[in-house]
Amino acid sequence: MIKPLLARLQQKHRTVSFPKGTPVLPERFRGRPVVDSSKCATGCKLCVDSCPIGAIKKEKNALSIDLGKCLFCAQCEGNCSCGAIKFSREYRLAARTKKDLLLNGQEMKLAEALDKRMKKLFGRSLKLRQVSAGGCNACEADTNVLGTVVYDLGRFGVQFVASPRHADGLLITGPVTENMKLALEKTYDAVPDPKITIAVGTCAISGGPYIDLPRVNNGADKIIPVDLYIPGCPPHPLTILDGLLRLLGRIK
Amino acid sequence: MPAANAISLYNCQAVDTKRIPVAGITEFRNFVIEAAKSGKRIVSLFASPSSPQQVRLFAVLADDNAGNLSVLSSDVSDKYPSLTPDCPQAHLFEREIAEQWDVVPQGHPWLKPVRFHHSYSTGRDNKKEEPILPSVMDFFKVEGEEIHEVAVGPVHAGIIEPGHFRFQCFGENVLNLEISLGYQHRGVERAMIGGPDKRTLHYMETLAGDTSIGHTTAYCQLAESLSGSNVSPRAQSLRGIALELERLANHTGDLGALAGDIGYLPTSSFCGRIRGDFLNMTALICGSRFGRGLVIPGGVGFDVNKQHSDTLTEKLARALKDVNVAADLLWNTSSVLARFEETGVVQPEICKELGLVGIPARASGVEIDCRFNFPAGIYRFAQIPISGWHTGDVFARAYVRWLEVQRSIDFINDQLNTLPEGQIKTNIKPALPGKFCVSLVEGWRGEICHVGLTGPDGRLSHYKIVDPSFHNWTGLAMAMRNQQISDFPLCNKSFNLSYCGYDL
């Protein structure tokens, strides 16, 4: 019995102080892109052409980048010689509507909390069922990580449960493959009302790298209503946690 | 021996497709069956259209001892005599060929869908209008008064990918487990055709998101060979470091998850955190915990400076200490060993017969590892000894992971100490037309095989991916025979196979 106790001491306390402390992100972390159309050279479309997904639009010299499609590969940044697109280390990316995911140089409107009634129901206890619908297991893995001692999701009253019938909502990953469409619909129906849906990762928001392929549905909101979008390919665990806590009104 | 006319290749050696001999189907069958009997493994067996009426079967067989691959092809139309009755290794490959091209391997004992989609061949499949529903098929059934059936999935209880498992049980004992996947099918192989394009690398990175480095390395090696480009030693070394970091993260996570599945929480908690430390080391190099953007055609996207190297060395030393403490608890706790030992045994004969790869093979005493048998890139210069165990049970699959953790850390330290000078990337030339190339990489789950063919324009005309999970899911089904159904989560975790890597 002494061995596990000694091991426990050796392994130390590891839970991050989030949301109180300042999170430590790697130096090369690619977070929210910052768009500055004023730096953009007239007639140049290198960023638009380099994007694998078509997440960047340039209309009348006004650049915009759709976080719901962005793979954070930074090809655009690499190809831009004017510095009009730069990836920052900002990890806060979650939004309530797809419109809020369009970045055009304005301050991003981060996710607002649920309305009063829903917040009263779920604000201190939210049980989620996870459905992977064509996800590559990266979004799944970095959602799973929230359950480790590092993030300790349980301390916020959020928990992943084994059945949709025990859940208050769904957390969906993946572009929703044709073969998972029915299962997703059935799982959604099995969650008792009122319920919420969270789309995690670029695939679940727009189809991600698989956008417009014949075997996928370009994201969860093509099938069921979505209340929170958390972009990233995959989103950093802190991005997911930040999104969940914003939805619950625990971070403002 | 009819094998005489197959072409012999090394890993990542591109040849003109027209140099691959086209045999008659009888000769082709004999070649594959004899090769398998003599101990070779099927690393890939696929069909590619050769004319409007025909498809060409390509068989890629590995001779692990000699470190070479032999390739033979044969043209077939709507049917051919199945290989599976004489060569069980071919079973899933033949099911895949039948599903993709509507070519019937006659006499196949288990001809069922693999991924539940319409065939790619135009004109032959008359049922295109009818939707194909996943897992709607005839499952193997055991009948009898006290037999019951348990169906699980596609949506599972944890945060994992979807799949359907059908158990035939007698009381608590599982007589048979049939695994039906395809829910994650996104159509990656088809999307590769006509490439490479802007999205190609992203398909590879998300083929199996926990194996981004493994699959991108396999693809990049292939793209480089098809174009006759060279990659700098520094880039090769950094790719090796990334591949081993991926292995470390996943193996550590698996040790924790195995502990979690038997309710041994100390190791479960510790390893869950240490796994993240390894992922963060990958993020230190490239900004992404899963190595996105790190391995690119022509080299790597990010360099490692002295400061990175020192930080990595220091973090690795700490992580090694932590993972050793966490794993030692497993090996020294009798209640853990009681659950691990003699659970889910796969015999070495079964491993060989079914062509299992990676951890499950090495844990059953079958010593195969691409890093050793088919070295490419940095592994030609820095070899990692094969880690094996002989008992074939959950314990062995856990223990092999722990052995590999230590060897991977040694390897990374060696590489960091002797990192070659030079560029990290070169511009690769366009692929040459009419080429065929096989690329093998030992991912953390096992052997990853990519086969690429280029058309007359140098674009990819066919792309075949074999994730180690494709070989190994059947191994899990075998491990469950005569086990208690309550041991399924433990056995499943000890394999920890990919759904999306299989479903493509």
Side-chain angles (χ1 to χ4, degrees):
Chain A
M1 192 56 213
I2 192 74
K3 272 196 160 187
L5 291 174
L6 290 173
R8 172 67 193 82
L9 288 175
Q10 185 271 333
Q11 301 271 341
K12 302 194 185 84
H13 178 265
R14 301 287 184 165
T15 308
V16 294
S17 57
F18 191 82
K20 278 186 191 143
T22 321
V24 185
L25 289 156
E27 186 193 318
R28 289 172 172 174
F29 175 73
R30 295 183 290 283
R32 192 198 300 164
V34 180
V35 181
D36 186 350
S37 297
S38 68
K39 289 185 181 163
C40 191
T42 318
C44 170
K45 285 188 108 178
L46 284 175
C47 59
V48 177
D49 296 337
S50 66
C51 181
I53 306 301
I56 305 172
K57 292 249 162 20
K58 185 173 174 181
E59 280 156 3
K60 295 180 192 158
N61 236 37
L63 270 182
S64 69
I65 178 162
D66 186 350
L67 271 194
K69 289 183 177 171
C70 181
L71 301 179
F72 298 79
C73 66
Q75 283 294 323
C76 48
E77 186 187 53
N79 277 304
C80 176
S81 51
C82 323
I85 297 182
K86 286 253 179 249
F87 278 80
S88 72
R89 286 167 70 207
E90 175 58 78
Y91 66 93
R92 291 171 292 190
L93 305 173
R96 292 295 302 275
T97 67
K98 273 192 162 164
K99 209 176 105 236
D100 294 338
L101 294 173
L102 275 177
L103 303 184
N104 51 16
Q106 314 286 350
E107 187 66 25
M108 182 183 175
K109 190 184 168 205
L110 290 169
E112 282 178 350
L114 291 164
D115 65 36
K116 208 173 159 195
R117 175 173 160 261
M118 293 286 268
K119 208 170 111 181
K120 195 176 171 207
L121 280 171
F122 301 137
R124 287 184 291 173
S125 164
L126 178 69
K127 309 291 166 194
L128 293 171
R129 176 79 281 262
Q130 202 274 332
V131 179
S132 169
C136 74
N137 208 22
C139 288
E140 289 80 352
D142 264 356
T143 303
N144 224 345
V145 154
L146 297 179
T148 64
V149 293
V150 180
Y151 299 97
D152 190 17
L153 192 61
R155 71 192 148 129
F156 303 107
V158 185
Q159 193 191 349
F160 287 94
V161 292
S163 165
R165 305 231 185 258
H166 305 158
D168 304 315
L170 297 183
L171 186 147
I172 300 161
T173 52
V176 189
T177 50
E178 269 298 293
N179 284 353
M180 267 308 282
K181 191 177 160 207
L182 180 64
L184 175 61
E185 286 166 344
K186 284 188 174 180
T187 311
Y188 180 75
D189 289 342
V191 178
D193 281 319
K195 53 193 162 191
I196 58 171
T197 310
I198 301 162
V200 169
T202 305
C203 281
I205 300 174
S206 67
Y210 300 98
I211 195 164
D212 294 336
L213 287 193
R215 299 292 302 178
V216 306
N217 287 289
N218 288 355
D221 63 4
K222 305 293 178 296
I223 314 295
I224 54 172
V226 170
D227 301 283
L228 179 69
Y229 298 95
I230 304 180
C233 187
H236 192 277
L238 281 173
T239 307
I240 306 174
L241 186 54
D242 172 75
L244 290 174
L245 296 184
R246 276 177 198 281
L247 186 73
L248 299 179
R250 308 283 288 264
I251 300 182
K252 286 191 180 101
Chain B
M1 187 143 161
N5 63 357
I7 191 168
S8 178
L9 297 177
Y10 293 108
N11 184 14
C12 296
Q13 181 190 353
V15 283
D16 289 328
T17 309
K18 59 175 187 266
R19 282 188 55 210
I20 296 168
V22 186
I25 186 64
T26 313
E27 200 189 343
F28 179 84
R29 262 190 110 249
N30 288 342
F31 160 72
V32 177
I33 293 163
E34 289 305 318
K37 276 186 186 153
S38 71
K40 291 185 185 175
R41 288 181 304 111
I42 301 178
V43 295
S44 195
L45 173 64
F46 63 94
S48 167
S50 56
S51 76
Q53 286 78 36
Q54 287 191 309
V55 293
R56 183 162 293 176
L57 303 178
F58 288 91
V60 184
L61 286 123
D63 185 337
D64 292 300
N65 295 326
N68 67 24
L69 301 160
S70 33
V71 186
L72 190 66
S73 67
S74 180
D75 285 329
V76 294
S77 41
D78 58 342
K79 55 182 187 281
Y80 70 95
S82 170
L83 297 157
T84 304
D86 301 303
C87 174
Q89 274 187 58
H91 75 112
L92 199 54
F93 291 106
E94 291 200 304
R95 283 170 58 182
E96 185 186 48
I97 291 167
E99 183 174 59
Q100 293 185 338
W101 301 104
D102 218 12
V103 173
V104 181
Q106 288 181 308
H108 193 295
W110 199 256
L111 196 56
K112 304 180 185 198
V114 180
R115 304 187 180 100
F116 299 89
H117 60 77
H118 286 288
S119 99
Y120 305 145
S121 64
T122 46
R124 236 189 253 136
D125 188 348
N126 302 322
K127 301 158 291 203
K128 283 237 163 105
E129 297 307 309
E130 289 174 32
I132 294 181
L133 297 172
S135 291
V136 177
M137 64 173 196
D138 290 328
F139 284 90
F140 179 81
K141 257 190 165 19
V142 180
E143 281 176 356
E145 216 169 288
E146 290 181 46
I147 298 292
H148 66 108
E149 187 179 71
V150 179
V152 184
V155 179
H156 298 293
I159 305 181
I160 55 168
E161 297 176 71
H164 183 79
F165 301 95
R166 195 72 70 94
F167 300 89
Q168 307 295 320
C169 301
F170 179 70
E172 285 291 296
N173 275 355
V174 176
L175 299 175
N176 188 66
L177 159 63
E178 191 167 356
I179 300 165
S180 175
L181 304 178
Y183 296 93
Q184 301 282 71
H185 179 56
R186 295 149 290 170
V188 179
E189 286 179 347
R190 299 297 284 171
M192 291 293 283
I193 293 174
D197 58 34
K198 286 188 283 187
R199 282 207 222 168
T200 305
L201 197 62
H202 298 288
Y203 294 139
M204 296 295 100
E205 287 183 335
T206 55
L207 203 56
D210 48 28
T211 317
S212 286
I213 298 292
H215 277 291
T216 47
T217 304
Y219 165 71
C220 290
Q221 285 181 178
L222 187 96
E224 287 145 12
S225 300
L226 286 173
S227 65
S229 311
N230 287 320
V231 174
S232 75
R234 188 176 182 86
Q236 304 276 25
S237 179
L238 290 172
R239 282 181 181 179
I241 290 170
L243 189 68
E244 298 310 319
L245 279 174
E246 188 167 83
R247 193 180 321 276
L248 284 166
N250 284 294
H251 282 4
T252 306
D254 285 349
L255 288 175
L258 281 165
D261 269 344
I262 55 165
Y264 188 67
L265 298 184
T267 304
S268 168
S269 308
F270 303 154
C271 285
R273 186 270 302 177
I274 306 164
R275 171 181 171 277
D277 289 354
F278 287 121
L279 293 176
N280 289 338
M281 289 181 217
T282 302
L284 179 88
I285 300 175
C286 71
S288 156
R289 286 155 56 89
F290 295 88
R292 302 288 165 84
L294 182 47
V295 180
I296 56 171
V300 289
F302 297 87
D303 205 353
V304 166
N305 62 26
K306 177 79 174 62
Q307 194 195 341
H308 294 136
S309 171
D310 290 347
T311 314
L312 280 173
T313 310
E314 187 199 320
K315 282 180 185 280
L316 275 174
R318 254 185 286 156
L320 176 64
K321 194 175 168 205
D322 289 352
V323 80
N324 275 343
V325 169
D328 271 344
L329 289 179
L330 293 180
W331 321 136
N332 289 303
T333 305
S334 53
S335 60
V336 169
L337 296 178
R339 289 295 310 279
F340 279 12
E341 285 175 346
E342 291 170 40
T343 304
V345 177
V346 183
Q347 300 295 344
E349 300 75 43
I350 297 286
C351 274
K352 287 179 189 159
E353 214 174 334
L354 291 172
L356 303 193
V357 296
I359 302 268
R362 293 195 284 278
S364 297
V366 180
E367 297 207 339
I368 48 170
D369 186 327
C370 291
R371 292 173 293 174
F372 191 83
N373 301 114
F374 294 94
I378 192 65
Y379 300 101
R380 286 174 296 165
F381 309 105
Q383 290 202 328
I384 298 185
I386 299 180
S387 304
W389 199 250
H390 56 279
T391 48
D393 49 7
V394 170
F395 171 80
R397 290 187 284 276
Y399 200 71
V400 168
R401 284 179 166 93
W402 182 61
L403 294 174
E404 293 192 356
V405 161
Q406 300 174 68
R407 291 188 167 157
S408 294
I409 290 182
D410 287 346
F411 172 88
I412 298 174
N413 279 326
D414 284 350
Q415 291 304 311
L416 287 173
N417 287 332
T418 57
L419 206 56
E421 295 294 325
Q423 295 295 316
I424 55 161
K425 62 185 163 193
T426 46
N427 285 332
I428 74 161
K429 295 166 263 183
L432 298 163
K435 293 281 179 188
F436 176 101
C437 184
V438 182
S439 167
L440 298 175
V441 168
E442 190 72 20
W444 64 273
R445 284 193 180 91
E447 178 182 275
I448 295 168
C449 172
H450 287 211
V451 185
L453 280 81
T454 52
D457 54 355
R459 317 295 294 179
L460 289 169
S461 61
H462 196 84
Y463 206 82
K464 185 79 211 88
I465 300 153
V466 186
D467 187 87
S469 310
F470 191 81
H471 298 282
N472 286 357
W473 275 111
T474 317
L476 171 61
M478 296 308 292
M480 277 310 292
R481 290 238 168 125
N482 296 313
Q483 289 293 311
Q484 290 200 3
I485 192 165
S486 51
D487 278 335
F488 175 67
L490 184 60
C491 289
N492 188 22
K493 192 47 83 180
S494 75
F495 280 77
N496 193 11
L497 301 174
S498 174
Y499 298 73
C500 56
Y502 173 100
D503 288 344
L504 301 174

